[in-house]
Amino acid sequence: MAKPGGFDISNLPVEALNQLKQNTEQEIEVISSSITQLRMAVAKFQDSKRTIASIGPETNGQKVLVPLTSSMYIPGTLAEPDHVLIDIGTGYFVKKSIADAQAYTDRRSKTIAEQAAQLSQALAVKKKNLDSVLQVMQYKLELMQEAQDKKATK
């Protein structure tokens, strides 16, 4: 029968198959959640790219709201519209030109999208493994039911 993880699941008892099913379902949930988070990250980078594109010399001196946290802003004035600060993680920021900032968001979006695609492939494998486990479980449960039916008719 099918061999998820490199072993023959048809030799496992129903209890072990049930545990394998539960573990696989949990893995599917984690992978699905990760894919969703990665897609949200790609969307944020694309949104950042659109925002960066809207900055130009004509925006010099324009009033803006500067985020202090995700829900707290303070008023500010755009003083240098030809450069932006990019958050590269763990509290580090890098000053980049508009073109470099857009290239950075493109690279990050592409990298994250590739990671999401790899996880999507892993998710497909996990789902296939789950289907195999469910088929073997159903087969074994049918055999158990038939054995009980034969016992009851004797």
Side-chain angles (χ1 to χ4, degrees):
M1 200 78 201
K3 297 183 179 183
F7 58 91
D8 189 359
I9 62 173
S10 63
N11 295 329
L12 294 175
V14 174
E15 296 81 20
L17 286 170
N18 192 40
Q19 184 63 40
L20 182 60
K21 173 183 136 322
Q22 290 174 354
N23 290 345
T24 305
E25 286 172 339
Q26 288 174 344
E27 290 172 356
I28 287 171
E29 274 185 47
V30 169
I31 293 171
S32 295
S33 175
S34 296
I35 290 170
T36 300
Q37 290 173 350
L38 289 172
R39 288 183 179 152
M40 287 172 46
V42 168
K44 284 182 181 182
F45 274 108
Q46 290 171 343
D47 187 41
S48 293
K49 182 180 179 185
R50 283 190 296 275
T51 301
I52 292 167
S54 70
I55 298 173
E58 68 280 356
T59 59
N60 192 20
Q62 185 176 6
K63 301 280 185 202
V64 294
L65 290 175
V66 179
L68 291 178
T69 67
S70 61
S71 61
M72 188 184 308
Y73 298 84
I74 59 171
T77 304
L78 192 56
E80 199 176 338
D82 52 341
H83 288 90
V84 293
L85 289 177
I86 302 288
D87 180 357
I88 60 171
T90 64
Y92 289 97
F93 292 84
V94 176
K95 186 176 184 178
K96 296 224 178 238
S97 69
I98 298 297
D100 288 344
Q102 288 179 321
Y104 173 80
T105 58
D106 285 340
R107 283 192 312 274
R108 291 295 293 149
S109 292
K110 182 180 176 190
T111 300
I112 294 169
E114 288 169 356
Q115 291 171 343
Q118 290 172 351
L119 279 178
S120 293
Q121 291 173 350
L123 181 63
V125 169
K126 289 290 181 188
K127 285 182 176 181
K128 186 177 177 182
N129 290 348
L130 180 60
D131 287 342
S132 296
V133 170
L134 291 173
Q135 287 175 356
V136 171
M137 276 182 72
Q138 183 177 359
Y139 174 73
K140 287 193 173 222
L141 290 172
E142 287 173 1
L143 288 179
M144 289 171 62
Q145 184 64 41
E146 287 176 13
Q148 285 179 350
D149 290 347
K150 285 182 182 177
K151 218 179 194 183
T153 57
K154 286 185 179 181

